[in-house]
Amino acid sequence: MPLYPVESEGNNLLSEKVDQMMEWSSRRSVVRMNGDKFRRFVKAPPRNYSVIVMFTALQPQRQCSVCRQANEEYQVLANSWRYSSAFSNKLFFTVVDYDEGADVFQQLNMNSAPTFMHFPAKGKPKRADTFDLQRIGFASEQLAKWIADRTDVQIRVFRPPNYSGTIALALLVSLVGGLLYLRRNNLEFIYNKTGWAMAALCVVFAMTSGQMWNHIRGPPYAHKNPQNGQVSYIHGSSQAQFVAESHIILLLNAAITMGMVLLNEAATSKGDVGKRRIICLVGLGLVVFFFSFLLSIFRSKYHGYPYSFLIK
Amino acid sequence: MAEHHAASDGKHKASANAGGSVHGNSRPGAAGGGGGGGGGKGGLSGGLTQPAGWQSLLSFSILFLACLAGFSSRLFAVIRFESIIHEFDPWFNYRSTHHLTTNGFFEFLNWFDERAWYPLGRIVGGTVYPGLMVTAGLIHYVLNLLHITVHIRDVCVFLAPVFSGLTAISTFLLTRELWNQGAGLLAACFIAIVPGYISRSVAGSFDNEGIAIFALQFTYYLWVKSVKTGSVFWTIGCCLSYFYMVSAWGGYVFIINLIPLHVFVLLLMQRYSRRVYIAYSTFYIVGLILSMQIPFVGFQPIRTSEHMAAAGVFALLQAYAFLQYLKDRLTRQEFQTLFFLGVSLAAGVVFLTVIYLTYTGIYAKIHIPIIASVSEHQPTTWVSFFFDLHILVCTFPAGLWFCIKNINDERVFVALYAISAVYFAGVMVRLMLTLTPVVCMLSAVAFSSVFEHYMGDDTKREKPPAEDSSDEDDKRNSGNLYDKAGKVRKHVSEQEKAEEGLGPNVKSIVTMLMLMLLMMFAVHCTWVTSNAYSSPSVVLASYNHDGTRNILDDFREAYYWLRQNTDEHARVMSWWDYGYQIAGMANRTTLVDNNTWNNSHIALVGKAMSSNESAAYQIMRSLDVDYVLIIFGGVIGYSGDDINKFLWMVRIAEGEHPKDIRESDYFTPQGEFRVDKAGSPTLLNCLMYKMSYYRFGEMQLDFRTPPGFDRTRNAEIGNKDIKFKHLEEAFTSEHWLVRIYKVKNLDNREPLDHKLRSVVPKQKYTSKKVAGHILFCCFNQK
């Protein structure tokens, strides 16, 4: 690590600062800073450590949901560093909240949060010392890569394992097991075909409406136009979709299927003729109307598609 | 290109319908007739003495028409362009088939291809599924034996359409086993024209999937048949069909997991029978041995995790059968039940782990750049489902519902098939192909049961119509409670009561609307096939405002230039998409190709493309590159060119060489990827940029735009003064689509002392640049 050629007083100051930083970061992996602290420990020159600063606005009244997500990733990264074997006094993670250090924001001419900056041990931060949040995103792996790039400190991101999936599965299994045990004298319901058919249809509907795509890509629920405040539930392109849109499609598919089943029911069931005729017409209506609705949504997404039915 | 296409859709479609509408319109009629044949035979049986004969004639002709429709709706590309192999992978298959027919089968198995992956080479015989090549080669051989002389290329081009006809037949057979003949005919009509299957089987798309779907459906048919009959004959047939599937496509893993799953669920449902035991034991052993005969598969079936489920179910079935045997001799019922519970739980856990592992495996693969860069490995949006399946995607859940409500052994199978296939299709868009057949079958079940009830006339029937039951079926039916003949009789008795009520008006309205939906399906299929799936992508077409067509044949022009004008052993560097085409059409050595097995080699090519010229020259020298081939669409507005793929090259290169290549260097400070003046200097000086836009700055395409205006990215290029030091332009095709550069040899070294003597006295009046040069020389002298 390059050391400044400093006189003894500066040296004392430096070791004092390092000690202070070490103490703070041993208490919490991310050090909270206000304006004074920031100027003293991050900006002021006698320094032999790099500082990563997250400028953010975490107060609830700021309503910055991105800040919260970014903060979580940042905490994961800082904890990975804090508890790694390579932990040293060369690198510190700090955070400046807008409501605690608004003067710092003004001083650095910063008008967006969250922003990640690296303050190198020597010299002033350059352009590349500001993390490109817009393009790379704020996943802690990306942050770690950026830090490795700027400081030569390699951090292996260790995410605390997510037990919620396992717990949910165990709960489900025990619930099913418990239910079976409680009703062990009457297991007829297992042979209920309707239940199984319902379950199968649920899987099918979830898949054909693109829930897996939602799961992997994580699209927004719907899009709100910032200019006029209109909410659009249908994505304009055929390459993507919103969550709300996939729910609508799920309902449409289910309605068409139900129409087909009703048509069949009307023809096969025994009972009052008038009632059956009504069931038949309702089924037919469901199939025809919702299919043309589906077709019109498809047409609005797939530009240049020439066909439509009943509804434009 | 895409815009050209969209703008000219109207005219385009008119010509498309002229070719395809004959078949497109014949299908709904045929389908309706099929439904009528299945359900409304009352009229026929009243007037004719031999209804069975009429019925089989009708079925035969419908099936024949379905095959014909399937075959001919795949010929758009051949009619519009010519009999040509499409896209990328088919070119490799074609090249291998050509090798097979010229050199013989054993030579093909031992083939080491030194023209791919220079300098590594590729063992082709051991790393391909040979089924496709052998099938095409065999057909070619038989035709030549009969003195019908066709070129092997034509066999390859028309193989997929022919097999789609066979797929229609096998789908008919399978659906007939599952439901009834009417549904089978409908399913055959659906699968013949459904876009989800056409996408992989148009004429010219000579790829594994084209024949694999036939093998898949036929294997399933034989499996269902063998579970129903419990005869070793059908099971051996199933194994042979499975063997063909293994030899044809890697998707055989789907079969080897679905059939054990079927057996496992049958055990759980306590539907165990000797038939199942005989079928599965025979299938597992014979199928295993046969599948290991394929060199590429080898010992995988007993090693890898995706085959373990089959082995586990085999063991479980033996244990269960043994317990059944003991049960006849022992009385301790409770012990047995407990044992059964334990065994089934353990097997269930094994099954879940396997499924979990596959799931995570697929999930992890999605995030590797080279796999992510292939568009068909993406998850599927609902639009793709609807685009590929249209009305079938909305109605097949109804078919699934009917199947589960009237469950029997083989309907368990189709339900499991539907659920697993729909899951995989949701994860990866290319697996839509395996979903398509089951969707066709189940939709056919849904439509046919509606037609069955609504198409019959109101006159009371004299007798219940004879179902498609041969003698053999009847014999078996007596032993089964859930067989189809029994069900149909029940339907008929109910139907007679029902027909008193609903009335002819309601019935005809329902029938009309249903037929209308099917007609829309047929029209949709024709439109999609014509517009989306029938472009060879080797030959492009653009349309003028008056509807005339321009053929852009730049690819073949450039490949034949390479073939004719370069040394036979010249090595051509290009991005991996074009590897197979260069090998197939130009017959030259390539560095990387579409079989993307070596990521570091691809990354090296990506690094050369994204470095500056001198750094790239180093790499190209070390790889012995003679020519560099790139695709440039800026002149005609072709969007699939190398500049648009460029970021993937950078990403893949960055994955292997993070010190030299950084993705962020290729973006502007605002994070945009731009080729104009505002673009990043690294991009503007990298090899790919320079090769794409060399001398493009002098070219004015249009009076409204400045010279050097890129039509694909709608920007005036930022670096118009491009000069090469180590490369020279060798060839540029008519529309600039393909550009080929020759890599120069190293410069001759000038004698050092002579140069020094002439340079030193000039020192006084030279500019700074030359001064620097001298300094360098002096330094060298020391």
Side-chain angles (χ1 to χ4, degrees), chain B residues 353-373:
Chain B
T353 356
V354 168
I355 285 168
Y356 177 74
L357 282 177
T358 353
Y359 175 71
T360 47
I362 287 167
Y363 201 78
K365 274 180 193 162
I366 286 168
H367 294 281
I368 301 171
I370 193 151
I371 290 182
S373 75

PDB file of all heavy atoms in Angstrom, chain B residues 353-373:
ATOM      1  N   THR B 353     -35.347 -35.075  -6.261  1.00  0.00           N
ATOM      2  CA  THR B 353     -33.987 -34.559  -6.354  1.00  0.00           C
ATOM      3  C   THR B 353     -33.556 -34.460  -7.804  1.00  0.00           C
ATOM      4  O   THR B 353     -32.941 -33.473  -8.201  1.00  0.00           O
ATOM      5  CB  THR B 353     -32.986 -35.494  -5.631  1.00  0.00           C
ATOM      6  OG1 THR B 353     -33.697 -36.533  -5.024  1.00  0.00           O
ATOM      7  CG2 THR B 353     -32.147 -34.752  -4.640  1.00  0.00           C
ATOM      8  N   VAL B 354     -33.900 -35.494  -8.565  1.00  0.00           N
ATOM      9  CA  VAL B 354     -33.497 -35.474  -9.965  1.00  0.00           C
ATOM     10  C   VAL B 354     -34.129 -34.287 -10.677  1.00  0.00           C
ATOM     11  O   VAL B 354     -33.458 -33.535 -11.391  1.00  0.00           O
ATOM     12  CB  VAL B 354     -33.884 -36.799 -10.646  1.00  0.00           C
ATOM     13  CG1 VAL B 354     -33.727 -36.673 -12.146  1.00  0.00           C
ATOM     14  CG2 VAL B 354     -33.022 -37.920 -10.135  1.00  0.00           C
ATOM     15  N   ILE B 355     -35.406 -34.094 -10.412  1.00  0.00           N
ATOM     16  CA  ILE B 355     -36.102 -32.983 -11.063  1.00  0.00           C
ATOM     17  C   ILE B 355     -35.481 -31.662 -10.628  1.00  0.00           C
ATOM     18  O   ILE B 355     -35.209 -30.782 -11.433  1.00  0.00           O
ATOM     19  CB  ILE B 355     -37.603 -33.030 -10.715  1.00  0.00           C
ATOM     20  CG1 ILE B 355     -38.254 -34.141 -11.502  1.00  0.00           C
ATOM     21  CG2 ILE B 355     -38.267 -31.699 -11.049  1.00  0.00           C
ATOM     22  CD1 ILE B 355     -39.632 -34.467 -11.045  1.00  0.00           C
ATOM     23  N   TYR B 356     -35.160 -31.571  -9.337  1.00  0.00           N
ATOM     24  CA  TYR B 356     -34.556 -30.353  -8.814  1.00  0.00           C
ATOM     25  C   TYR B 356     -33.217 -30.089  -9.494  1.00  0.00           C
ATOM     26  O   TYR B 356     -32.915 -28.973  -9.901  1.00  0.00           O
ATOM     27  CB  TYR B 356     -34.379 -30.503  -7.300  1.00  0.00           C
ATOM     28  CG  TYR B 356     -33.688 -29.341  -6.656  1.00  0.00           C
ATOM     29  CD1 TYR B 356     -34.356 -28.131  -6.466  1.00  0.00           C
ATOM     30  CD2 TYR B 356     -32.376 -29.447  -6.241  1.00  0.00           C
ATOM     31  CE1 TYR B 356     -33.716 -27.075  -5.881  1.00  0.00           C
ATOM     32  CE2 TYR B 356     -31.732 -28.387  -5.658  1.00  0.00           C
ATOM     33  CZ  TYR B 356     -32.403 -27.203  -5.483  1.00  0.00           C
ATOM     34  OH  TYR B 356     -31.766 -26.146  -4.910  1.00  0.00           O
ATOM     35  N   LEU B 357     -32.424 -31.175  -9.626  1.00  0.00           N
ATOM     36  CA  LEU B 357     -31.105 -31.020 -10.240  1.00  0.00           C
ATOM     37  C   LEU B 357     -31.225 -30.550 -11.682  1.00  0.00           C
ATOM     38  O   LEU B 357     -30.518 -29.648 -12.107  1.00  0.00           O
ATOM     39  CB  LEU B 357     -30.358 -32.352 -10.201  1.00  0.00           C
ATOM     40  CG  LEU B 357     -29.740 -32.705  -8.857  1.00  0.00           C
ATOM     41  CD1 LEU B 357     -29.097 -34.066  -8.918  1.00  0.00           C
ATOM     42  CD2 LEU B 357     -28.713 -31.663  -8.439  1.00  0.00           C
ATOM     43  N   THR B 358     -32.139 -31.167 -12.404  1.00  0.00           N
ATOM     44  CA  THR B 358     -32.319 -30.744 -13.800  1.00  0.00           C
ATOM     45  C   THR B 358     -32.739 -29.293 -13.853  1.00  0.00           C
ATOM     46  O   THR B 358     -32.270 -28.520 -14.677  1.00  0.00           O
ATOM     47  CB  THR B 358     -33.392 -31.596 -14.497  1.00  0.00           C
ATOM     48  OG1 THR B 358     -33.765 -32.639 -13.638  1.00  0.00           O
ATOM     49  CG2 THR B 358     -32.896 -32.136 -15.790  1.00  0.00           C
ATOM     50  N   TYR B 359     -33.631 -28.947 -12.963  1.00  0.00           N
ATOM     51  CA  TYR B 359     -34.146 -27.581 -12.950  1.00  0.00           C
ATOM     52  C   TYR B 359     -33.028 -26.597 -12.710  1.00  0.00           C
ATOM     53  O   TYR B 359     -32.841 -25.640 -13.438  1.00  0.00           O
ATOM     54  CB  TYR B 359     -35.215 -27.467 -11.876  1.00  0.00           C
ATOM     55  CG  TYR B 359     -35.740 -26.077 -11.694  1.00  0.00           C
ATOM     56  CD1 TYR B 359     -36.547 -25.493 -12.670  1.00  0.00           C
ATOM     57  CD2 TYR B 359     -35.425 -25.345 -10.568  1.00  0.00           C
ATOM     58  CE1 TYR B 359     -37.028 -24.219 -12.509  1.00  0.00           C
ATOM     59  CE2 TYR B 359     -35.903 -24.072 -10.405  1.00  0.00           C
ATOM     60  CZ  TYR B 359     -36.704 -23.503 -11.372  1.00  0.00           C
ATOM     61  OH  TYR B 359     -37.173 -22.243 -11.218  1.00  0.00           O
ATOM     62  N   THR B 360     -32.215 -26.871 -11.665  1.00  0.00           N
ATOM     63  CA  THR B 360     -31.137 -25.935 -11.360  1.00  0.00           C
ATOM     64  C   THR B 360     -30.118 -25.935 -12.483  1.00  0.00           C
ATOM     65  O   THR B 360     -29.535 -24.913 -12.794  1.00  0.00           O
ATOM     66  CB  THR B 360     -30.446 -26.287 -10.035  1.00  0.00           C
ATOM     67  OG1 THR B 360     -30.193 -27.685 -10.052  1.00  0.00           O
ATOM     68  CG2 THR B 360     -31.289 -25.928  -8.854  1.00  0.00           C
ATOM     69  N   GLY B 361     -29.917 -27.110 -13.095  1.00  0.00           N
ATOM     70  CA  GLY B 361     -28.975 -27.178 -14.203  1.00  0.00           C
ATOM     71  C   GLY B 361     -29.388 -26.275 -15.334  1.00  0.00           C
ATOM     72  O   GLY B 361     -28.602 -25.473 -15.812  1.00  0.00           O
ATOM     73  N   ILE B 362     -30.636 -26.388 -15.699  1.00  0.00           N
ATOM     74  CA  ILE B 362     -31.154 -25.541 -16.775  1.00  0.00           C
ATOM     75  C   ILE B 362     -31.052 -24.083 -16.373  1.00  0.00           C
ATOM     76  O   ILE B 362     -30.623 -23.228 -17.116  1.00  0.00           O
ATOM     77  CB  ILE B 362     -32.610 -25.918 -17.079  1.00  0.00           C
ATOM     78  CG1 ILE B 362     -32.647 -27.240 -17.810  1.00  0.00           C
ATOM     79  CG2 ILE B 362     -33.278 -24.857 -17.928  1.00  0.00           C
ATOM     80  CD1 ILE B 362     -34.006 -27.844 -17.886  1.00  0.00           C
ATOM     81  N   TYR B 363     -31.379 -23.821 -15.126  1.00  0.00           N
ATOM     82  CA  TYR B 363     -31.395 -22.451 -14.653  1.00  0.00           C
ATOM     83  C   TYR B 363     -30.003 -21.856 -14.691  1.00  0.00           C
ATOM     84  O   TYR B 363     -29.819 -20.709 -15.086  1.00  0.00           O
ATOM     85  CB  TYR B 363     -31.940 -22.434 -13.228  1.00  0.00           C
ATOM     86  CG  TYR B 363     -32.465 -21.103 -12.828  1.00  0.00           C
ATOM     87  CD1 TYR B 363     -33.725 -20.705 -13.272  1.00  0.00           C
ATOM     88  CD2 TYR B 363     -31.726 -20.248 -12.053  1.00  0.00           C
ATOM     89  CE1 TYR B 363     -34.226 -19.481 -12.926  1.00  0.00           C
ATOM     90  CE2 TYR B 363     -32.223 -19.018 -11.704  1.00  0.00           C
ATOM     91  CZ  TYR B 363     -33.467 -18.639 -12.133  1.00  0.00           C
ATOM     92  OH  TYR B 363     -33.971 -17.417 -11.809  1.00  0.00           O
ATOM     93  N   ALA B 364     -29.005 -22.676 -14.298  1.00  0.00           N
ATOM     94  CA  ALA B 364     -27.642 -22.152 -14.283  1.00  0.00           C
ATOM     95  C   ALA B 364     -27.177 -21.879 -15.698  1.00  0.00           C
ATOM     96  O   ALA B 364     -26.504 -20.890 -15.953  1.00  0.00           O
ATOM     97  CB  ALA B 364     -26.714 -23.145 -13.611  1.00  0.00           C
ATOM     98  N   LYS B 365     -27.561 -22.749 -16.618  1.00  0.00           N
ATOM     99  CA  LYS B 365     -27.079 -22.598 -17.980  1.00  0.00           C
ATOM    100  C   LYS B 365     -27.550 -21.288 -18.590  1.00  0.00           C
ATOM    101  O   LYS B 365     -26.875 -20.716 -19.421  1.00  0.00           O
ATOM    102  CB  LYS B 365     -27.594 -23.756 -18.827  1.00  0.00           C
ATOM    103  CG  LYS B 365     -26.704 -24.974 -18.749  1.00  0.00           C
ATOM    104  CD  LYS B 365     -27.280 -26.071 -19.613  1.00  0.00           C
ATOM    105  CE  LYS B 365     -26.613 -27.391 -19.310  1.00  0.00           C
ATOM    106  NZ  LYS B 365     -27.434 -28.491 -19.801  1.00  0.00           N
ATOM    107  N   ILE B 366     -28.721 -20.842 -18.176  1.00  0.00           N
ATOM    108  CA  ILE B 366     -29.268 -19.632 -18.754  1.00  0.00           C
ATOM    109  C   ILE B 366     -28.339 -18.445 -18.529  1.00  0.00           C
ATOM    110  O   ILE B 366     -28.298 -17.518 -19.310  1.00  0.00           O
ATOM    111  CB  ILE B 366     -30.669 -19.377 -18.167  1.00  0.00           C
ATOM    112  CG1 ILE B 366     -31.631 -20.376 -18.784  1.00  0.00           C
ATOM    113  CG2 ILE B 366     -31.162 -17.976 -18.444  1.00  0.00           C
ATOM    114  CD1 ILE B 366     -32.949 -20.438 -18.103  1.00  0.00           C
ATOM    115  N   HIS B 367     -27.556 -18.502 -17.456  1.00  0.00           N
ATOM    116  CA  HIS B 367     -26.774 -17.332 -17.115  1.00  0.00           C
ATOM    117  C   HIS B 367     -25.359 -17.332 -17.673  1.00  0.00           C
ATOM    118  O   HIS B 367     -24.606 -16.412 -17.459  1.00  0.00           O
ATOM    119  CB  HIS B 367     -26.742 -17.150 -15.600  1.00  0.00           C
ATOM    120  CG  HIS B 367     -28.095 -16.840 -15.068  1.00  0.00           C
ATOM    121  ND1 HIS B 367     -28.653 -15.600 -15.140  1.00  0.00           N
ATOM    122  CD2 HIS B 367     -29.034 -17.623 -14.533  1.00  0.00           C
ATOM    123  CE1 HIS B 367     -29.861 -15.611 -14.641  1.00  0.00           C
ATOM    124  NE2 HIS B 367     -30.126 -16.837 -14.260  1.00  0.00           N
ATOM    125  N   ILE B 368     -24.976 -18.378 -18.403  1.00  0.00           N
ATOM    126  CA  ILE B 368     -23.673 -18.358 -19.055  1.00  0.00           C
ATOM    127  C   ILE B 368     -23.829 -17.560 -20.357  1.00  0.00           C
ATOM    128  O   ILE B 368     -24.751 -17.821 -21.125  1.00  0.00           O
ATOM    129  CB  ILE B 368     -23.213 -19.796 -19.343  1.00  0.00           C
ATOM    130  CG1 ILE B 368     -23.144 -20.577 -18.041  1.00  0.00           C
ATOM    131  CG2 ILE B 368     -21.880 -19.801 -20.034  1.00  0.00           C
ATOM    132  CD1 ILE B 368     -22.915 -22.049 -18.222  1.00  0.00           C
ATOM    133  N   PRO B 369     -22.918 -16.576 -20.612  1.00  0.00           N
ATOM    134  CA  PRO B 369     -23.155 -15.682 -21.741  1.00  0.00           C
ATOM    135  C   PRO B 369     -23.352 -16.395 -23.062  1.00  0.00           C
ATOM    136  O   PRO B 369     -24.246 -16.053 -23.821  1.00  0.00           O
ATOM    137  CB  PRO B 369     -21.900 -14.818 -21.780  1.00  0.00           C
ATOM    138  CG  PRO B 369     -21.165 -15.054 -20.561  1.00  0.00           C
ATOM    139  CD  PRO B 369     -21.751 -16.190 -19.831  1.00  0.00           C
ATOM    140  N   ILE B 370     -22.537 -17.434 -23.324  1.00  0.00           N
ATOM    141  CA  ILE B 370     -22.625 -18.011 -24.675  1.00  0.00           C
ATOM    142  C   ILE B 370     -23.963 -18.701 -24.870  1.00  0.00           C
ATOM    143  O   ILE B 370     -24.494 -18.760 -25.965  1.00  0.00           O
ATOM    144  CB  ILE B 370     -21.445 -18.957 -24.934  1.00  0.00           C
ATOM    145  CG1 ILE B 370     -21.366 -19.283 -26.404  1.00  0.00           C
ATOM    146  CG2 ILE B 370     -21.532 -20.231 -24.137  1.00  0.00           C
ATOM    147  CD1 ILE B 370     -20.019 -19.577 -26.875  1.00  0.00           C
ATOM    148  N   ILE B 371     -24.534 -19.213 -23.790  1.00  0.00           N
ATOM    149  CA  ILE B 371     -25.852 -19.837 -23.917  1.00  0.00           C
ATOM    150  C   ILE B 371     -26.924 -18.765 -23.926  1.00  0.00           C
ATOM    151  O   ILE B 371     -27.876 -18.823 -24.698  1.00  0.00           O
ATOM    152  CB  ILE B 371     -26.039 -20.865 -22.788  1.00  0.00           C
ATOM    153  CG1 ILE B 371     -25.119 -22.038 -23.066  1.00  0.00           C
ATOM    154  CG2 ILE B 371     -27.479 -21.322 -22.719  1.00  0.00           C
ATOM    155  CD1 ILE B 371     -25.192 -23.136 -22.107  1.00  0.00           C
ATOM    156  N   ALA B 372     -26.707 -17.732 -23.110  1.00  0.00           N
ATOM    157  CA  ALA B 372     -27.689 -16.657 -23.088  1.00  0.00           C
ATOM    158  C   ALA B 372     -27.747 -15.925 -24.422  1.00  0.00           C
ATOM    159  O   ALA B 372     -28.753 -15.330 -24.768  1.00  0.00           O
ATOM    160  CB  ALA B 372     -27.362 -15.679 -21.974  1.00  0.00           C
ATOM    161  N   SER B 373     -26.625 -15.977 -25.183  1.00  0.00           N
ATOM    162  CA  SER B 373     -26.602 -15.223 -26.431  1.00  0.00           C
ATOM    163  C   SER B 373     -27.431 -15.895 -27.509  1.00  0.00           C
ATOM    164  O   SER B 373     -27.710 -15.300 -28.526  1.00  0.00           O
ATOM    165  CB  SER B 373     -25.170 -15.049 -26.916  1.00  0.00           C
ATOM    166  OG  SER B 373     -24.694 -16.255 -27.461  1.00  0.00           O
TER     167      SER B 373
END
